[in-house]
Amino acid sequence: MTRGFVVQPHWHTNVTELVFVIGGEVATSVFNPFSQKLMTYRLKPGQVAQFPKGWFHWIVALSDKAHLLTIFDHPTPDVVYGSDFLRFLPEEVASRAYCVNEEAYAEAVAPIRESVILGPPPGCRQREDGESPYSRLPSSYPGLQPFPSPYPACDPCMQQELYPAYPPMQPGPYPPQHSMAFPAFGVL
């Protein structure tokens, strides 16, 4: 990905997604539906972000030549694109649900004519000042702690080098795991 490009806002109905940064720098954002908070992390090579199933998320390239490896916990991920939600939401529903002007909503979403996976689409108007909101992200995140050392006697400075601050992985919600019967082996 090139600086400023975005993997558009979307969510997966059937998979959890893990993004591993191979090269470059990206900002990942995910909306936590339980805390009602948007969490944005600046990631560099070797760092990961996890997006739980059903959580709205997106990725923005902060550097040229950002390379990512995306891993899903199911071979065929379903995806709901934000662009599809926006373009198919009737303006009268947007007006009633969110108290927005119907004409203004229709005008705002009019350029979205198809599913957008990697944006911005060609010919898109960007901010006039040329600044991305992601350019103001801090280089580190307050409150994040390094992974704990498996060696308690390890020097704290060395621990910081060995275990850099990673965004915390969010728990569940995961559906209960059901036991599966196998005739030759019994129940797992």
Side-chain angles (χ1 to χ4, degrees):
M1 289 176 43
T2 302
R3 179 187 309 270
F5 274 72
V6 60
V7 175
Q8 78 144 307
H10 65 283
W11 67 92
H12 303 283
T13 61
N14 67 334
V15 296
T16 292
E17 179 177 351
L18 184 76
V19 173
F20 177 80
V21 179
I22 297 169
E25 191 173 349
V26 299
T28 63
S29 295
V30 61
F31 177 72
N32 181 329
F34 302 105
S35 68
Q36 297 287 296
K37 297 207 184 298
L38 179 64
M39 301 175 296
T40 298
Y41 302 101
R42 181 186 297 263
L43 301 179
K44 295 180 180 182
Q47 294 183 312
V48 299
Q50 179 178 339
F51 307 127
K53 177 173 42 178
W55 287 28
F56 200 63
H57 60 278
W58 60 90
I59 304 167
V60 177
L62 299 177
S63 64
D64 291 326
K65 298 182 182 178
H67 297 278
L68 310 172
L69 173 64
T70 303
I71 303 166
F72 299 99
D73 63 353
H74 188 275
T76 53
D78 291 335
V79 62
V80 179
Y81 294 117
S83 60
D84 292 338
F85 179 80
L86 291 171
R87 71 188 175 113
F88 289 114
L89 180 67
E91 50 269 1
E92 61 273 9
V93 173
S95 176
R96 281 194 181 268
Y98 309 116
C99 197
V100 297
N101 178 286
E102 288 184 33
E103 292 79 24
Y105 181 80
E107 183 181 341
V109 299
I112 307 171
R113 301 201 188 289
E114 60 188 5
S115 297
V116 177
I117 299 169
L118 188 63
C124 176
R125 293 188 317 242
Q126 296 295 308
R127 290 177 53 158
E128 290 181 20
D129 62 9
E131 183 178 333
S132 163
Y134 291 95
S135 64
R136 296 184 304 275
L137 285 175
S139 58
S140 65
Y141 298 94
L144 292 182
Q145 301 297 317
F147 286 127
S149 171
Y151 309 103
C154 188
D155 175 54
C157 293
M158 179 61 121
Q159 180 178 342
Q160 186 67 18
E161 291 175 19
L162 293 173
Y163 301 95
Y166 285 71
M169 296 296 180
Q170 298 295 324
Y174 299 107
Q177 299 296 315
H178 301 286
S179 59
M180 299 170 52
F182 293 95
F185 302 106
V187 176
L188 294 177

